[in-house]
Amino acid sequence: MKPEFIIIGISDAPEPHFAAEALERICKGKVFSGGKRHHEIVRRWLPESAVWIDITAPLDAVFEQYQQYFEQANADATTNNESAIVVFASGDPLFFGFANTIRRKMPNATITLYPYFNSLQMLAHRLVLPYHDMKIVSLTGRPWHEFDAALIGDEKKIGVLTDGNHTPAAIAQRMNDYGFDDYTMAVGERLGNPKEERIHRLTLKEASEREFAMPNCVILQKEERQETSKDNRQATAHGTAPTHRFLGIPDLLFDLLDGREKMITKAPIRLLTLASLELQNRHSFWDIGFCTGSVSIEAKLQFPHLHITAFEIREEGKSLMDTNSRRFHAPGIDTVIGNFLEADTSQYAQPDAVFIGGHGGKLEEIVRKAAETMTSGGILVYNCVAPSSVTDARIRTDSRERFEKTAMQCGMTIEEPLHVAINDYHPIDILKARKP
């Protein structure tokens, strides 16, 4: 007999309304499960002999109890046909819900659903807001990554599931910090509970300064702004980024290391470097020796889906990345300060694309560590001054040959380099190696 679950979606209402069929399954049930809050709501509908399994972390322990019950039910010859576990879940159990967890952990289980409206649907209903075009992001037990991608992707309407860390106030503060201040926020508290439900419409500043009852959810709506050429000129003059998206951020808009113009990957080189890394098909990108952060920031803006980890040995890199990423509205770049060769990189997402922007005389060692760490099919890119433009014979053979020789020793395949010349700067070779 396959494991069977009856999953019933409910709201926070103290008097839930069950469909007749769902109520019949409850009356016939023996084993029930859900969160502690769900238990308080449905307790008086359960049979006197009901067994309740709390859904609490760690979930593996919960599923061990499920498995033990089904094994016992199969072994008991007197078991009637009603051996399903009845699970109560919030809203729609398939909407970032527990039904998905069951499908993942017990793929052979049979599931019957009686869904309710999910919280974002209810909030949209209260606002009389069409939501077919809304981007949905869950921050419940999840990092900021998908939310950041939605902001960078210029989504006009974003529905957000919150938790105790990713509160409406924390969301509003993050948006303000990175310049996404052209949104308004609606917060729904304890939706479905007629006595405690509250709906709030706020500016981001207002939302960042107050607390909200849990559970809650958020809908963000982008305000339309007309940007003028005068706005862009003023932004450039004040060293801030215009609100429109660049394809190749102007170099002069970045804060630079000690104001040194040469300590930045120039915009045209930057774009060709990102193209060589094939970032549209990558998931995790490491930028080694990020300096101003220009490559990481450009990559994040052009490819918001990327998980980006940026390494820099100089302490000044932290403030530069912080300033520049906020200026250009590029949240979500993980910054690591210190010697890359000494860093414990096991805690970061394994890269399938790596750019070496600086090596401090340790090029071979960095190539080896990057090659060992990256996934199969990963791409490694390094930019160096073209040998033909350097008069010193030692320097002329120092970079390209060392990169290619070390990469080949690591079993990588060398691909055709790009030779690029911009204005009166030294020509650059964009070198590329691929891991089998």
Side-chain angles (χ1 to χ4, degrees), residues 124-401:
H125 294 163
R126 304 297 191 269
L127 300 171
V128 194
L129 178 70
Y131 59 89
H132 60 276
D133 56 345
M134 185 163 65
K135 174 69 175 179
I136 306 298
V137 175
S138 175
L139 290 175
T140 306
R142 292 173 167 86
W144 289 105
H145 181 76
E146 294 300 328
F147 179 69
D148 292 341
L151 292 176
I152 296 170
D154 198 35
E155 296 288 348
K156 302 300 187 290
K157 198 181 297 179
I158 308 173
V160 188
L161 300 176
T162 64
D163 67 12
N165 294 315
H166 304 91
T167 63
I171 291 167
Q173 188 61 56
R174 187 173 183 84
M175 295 175 72
N176 281 325
D177 287 346
Y178 285 93
F180 296 100
D181 55 358
D182 50 350
Y183 283 83
T184 57
M185 178 182 285
V187 181
E189 297 177 322
R190 295 180 175 167
L191 295 170
N193 187 319
K195 293 183 178 180
E196 300 182 15
E197 176 178 298
R198 299 288 184 274
I199 306 297
H200 307 274
R201 296 173 175 86
L202 315 102
T203 65
L204 294 182
K205 185 176 187 303
E206 291 170 338
S208 68
E209 295 172 346
R210 61 177 297 174
E211 295 182 0
F212 300 88
M214 294 288 289
N216 59 57
C217 63
V218 165
I219 292 179
L220 298 162
Q221 289 182 269
K222 190 176 179 68
E223 299 175 325
E224 293 298 330
R225 291 183 181 177
Q226 188 66 39
E227 187 180 74
T228 67
S229 58
K230 180 180 178 181
D231 294 330
N232 291 337
R233 289 196 300 272
Q234 289 177 342
T236 303
H238 289 87
T240 59
T243 56
H244 75 265
R245 183 73 54 82
F246 290 103
L247 181 60
I249 303 170
D251 302 333
L252 293 178
L253 291 185
F254 284 95
D255 266 20
L256 304 174
L257 181 66
D258 300 327
R260 295 153 66 186
E261 294 183 13
K262 292 186 177 181
M263 297 296 286
I264 185 173
T265 302
K266 301 296 182 290
I269 302 295
R270 201 183 310 138
L271 294 180
L272 288 171
T273 298
L274 299 187
S276 296
L277 287 160
E278 302 175 16
L279 294 182
Q280 70 278 11
N281 300 318
R282 306 285 133 179
H283 301 286
S284 175
F285 169 50
W286 286 6
D287 179 8
I288 302 172
F290 66 76
C291 193
T292 63
S294 64
V295 172
S296 288
I297 291 168
E298 192 84 60
K300 191 66 176 178
L301 294 181
Q302 302 306 327
F303 308 99
H305 72 280
L306 280 176
H307 293 269
I308 300 179
T309 308
F311 300 85
E312 173 58 52
I313 197 168
R314 303 179 185 90
E315 287 290 338
E316 303 95 313
K318 183 174 178 58
S319 60
L320 282 172
M321 179 67 84
D322 186 61
T323 297
N324 288 325
S325 62
R326 290 170 187 258
R327 177 175 298 169
F328 298 108
H329 324 303
I333 299 170
D334 291 329
T335 302
V336 183
I337 300 300
N339 189 334
F340 171 74
L341 294 173
E342 298 174 359
D344 175 11
T345 57
S346 62
Q347 58 188 300
Y348 308 112
Q350 190 176 8
D352 50 11
V354 176
F355 172 62
I356 302 176
H359 56 79
K362 301 290 184 179
L363 180 60
E364 291 98 334
E365 293 91 332
I366 291 175
V367 169
R368 290 191 189 97
K369 185 169 182 176
E372 291 171 1
T373 308
M374 67 170 48
T375 60
S376 297
I379 292 174
L380 178 63
V381 168
Y382 168 63
N383 297 344
C384 68
V385 177
S388 59
S389 67
V390 181
T391 56
D392 188 307
R394 182 186 60 82
I395 298 176
R396 188 163 60 237
T397 61
D398 193 44
S399 289
R400 178 170 176 175
E401 290 184 12

